Amino acid sequence: MDKKQIYEGKAKVLFEGPEEGQIIQYFKDDATAFNKQKFDVIEGKGVLNNIISAYMMEFFSKNGIENHFIERLNKREQLVKKVEIVPVEVVLRNYAAGTLVKRYGLEDGIKLSRPLIEFCYKSDEHGDPLLSEEHILIFNFATQDEIDMMKKTTLIINQILGDLFDKIGIILGDFKVEFGRVTENGSTRLILADEMSPDNCRLWDKETLEIMDKDRFRKGLGSLTEFYREVAVRLGLEKELEE
Ligand code: TMP
Ligand code: ASP
């Protein structure tokens, strides 16, 4: 089937879906970090992220968090609802790591007194700068109701995802989510979109504190797919990995 490409991002390509209002997300093996300063192709990463993200989105749906996921089509593709992405990346941090350490000089790995939510402008060109709620409102990126919805939903995601990972011996250090608008029957609402995989969260083994996420690539530690696979296995996805 010849699919019409709509958009190519750093880790995914979006194609027109079979029906109006649907798109196909194709997960690439490309890995980038630090706003594309670092780039590599890591064989098998896309397949793992497609499987893990499909599982996560279904898990969120079961827990009452509406999202764009419809079904996984094959090893690298999933069918999702077409949304108008809000150009705001919502980051939730339980521990200090990454740019939080760089920006404020906090000690790497310390637990924060409570979950910290940050907003960043989804713009590679501008290096994803931090946004205040005032920026979001004045630039018309989202309404106050939408900001409130994104914060509330992100806190719930943190709770249920943190519990899920805790049960399989993994600490959820931080994560990033994105939201998009869908219009159905004349009304528009905001739902969770994009993906949820070890590419957009920090995961540490509870016992050994071994890094199990994209920091393996950012820090040049190697064995990235070995650890993504371990995350998938602990989530009970062996069967999906064998396909
Ligand atoms: P940071 O420490 O680099 O700001 O990242 C915080 C979390 O957000 C981390 O889990 C990685 C994730 N993230 C993305 O998924 N995409 C991005 O573009 C950035 C900057 C971070
Ligand atoms: N995803 C961003 C990039 O590719 C930042 C990151 O994940 O480190 O540059």
Side-chain angles (χ1 to χ4, degrees):
M1 181 177 78
D2 252 344
K3 297 187 296 263
K4 189 170 164 234
Q5 185 172 319
I6 301 172
Y7 173 82
E8 176 154 14
K10 292 188 294 246
K12 296 187 287 298
V13 187
L14 306 183
F15 296 96
E16 251 175 24
E19 282 177 33
E20 178 82 22
Q22 297 183 338
I23 58 171
I24 293 169
Q25 286 198 142
Y26 174 96
F27 285 72
K28 297 191 281 184
D29 282 339
D30 295 8
T32 65
F34 314 115
N35 206 11
K36 291 190 266 192
Q37 286 176 51
K38 200 170 167 160
F39 174 81
D40 205 352
V41 178
I42 302 179
E43 207 191 318
K45 179 174 83 77
V47 172
L48 285 157
N49 281 349
N50 185 30
I51 290 171
I52 294 171
S53 192
Y55 175 87
M56 289 297 174
M57 291 295 173
E58 283 185 332
F59 170 73
F60 292 147
S61 291
K62 280 183 205 143
N63 283 276
I65 294 172
E66 192 188 5
N67 60 74
H68 70 162
F69 183 76
I70 300 171
E71 63 173 326
R72 188 162 67 84
L73 299 172
N74 53 48
K75 282 177 93 141
R76 285 190 185 270
E77 293 176 321
Q78 50 182 252
L79 189 64
V80 299
K81 282 188 183 172
K82 189 174 193 169
V83 300
E84 178 209 340
I85 283 283
V86 174
V88 175
E89 299 190 345
V90 186
V91 173
L92 186 144
R93 302 177 188 271
N94 295 305
Y95 290 80
T99 54
L100 196 72
V101 170
K102 253 188 242 160
R103 262 191 254 123
Y104 307 105
L106 297 187
E107 193 186 325
D108 205 353
I110 58 155
K111 185 152 196 218
L112 302 176
S113 58
R114 63 183 172 89
L116 168 66
I117 292 183
E118 291 177 336
F119 300 110
C120 298
Y121 180 30
K122 185 176 162 64
S123 165
D124 291 337
E125 194 191 341
H126 301 99
D128 293 352
L130 268 180
L131 292 171
S132 68
E133 291 195 18
E134 283 286 90
H135 288 117
I136 297 174
L137 292 169
I138 291 168
F139 300 163
N140 283 322
F141 290 158
T143 63
Q144 187 63 57
D145 279 352
E146 288 176 330
I147 294 173
D148 293 345
M149 179 276 183
M150 291 193 285
K151 281 162 72 175
K152 197 172 142 215
T153 308
T154 305
L155 283 168
I156 298 171
I157 291 172
N158 185 46
Q159 192 65 54
I160 62 172
L161 200 56
D163 286 350
L164 176 74
F165 279 124
D166 185 61
K167 282 190 196 125
I168 56 171
I170 294 173
I171 297 169
L172 177 63
D174 59 29
F175 65 88
K176 184 265 310 183
V177 282
E178 294 179 24
F179 294 85
R181 296 182 189 96
V182 270
T183 303
E184 278 167 356
N185 309 321
S187 75
T188 300
R189 63 188 192 283
L190 206 53
I191 62 173
L192 180 68
D194 192 48
E195 68 176 275
M196 176 53 73
S197 73
D199 263 14
N200 42 56
C201 52
R202 286 197 167 90
L203 303 173
W204 305 313
D205 182 272
K206 224 160 54 169
E207 298 296 320
T208 62
L209 296 183
E210 189 91 65
I211 292 169
M212 307 179 79
D213 58 77
K214 203 171 90 173
D215 264 353
R216 297 208 71 83
F217 170 68
R218 294 191 192 95
K219 294 174 184 254
L221 299 171
S223 316
L224 180 132
T225 50
E226 211 176 283
F227 283 89
Y228 281 33
R229 178 171 285 274
E230 172 67 16
V231 171
V233 168
R234 289 200 205 176
L235 288 168
L237 299 169
E238 291 96 339
K239 205 170 92 255
E240 286 79 356
L241 293 172
E242 278 165 20
E243 268 174 28

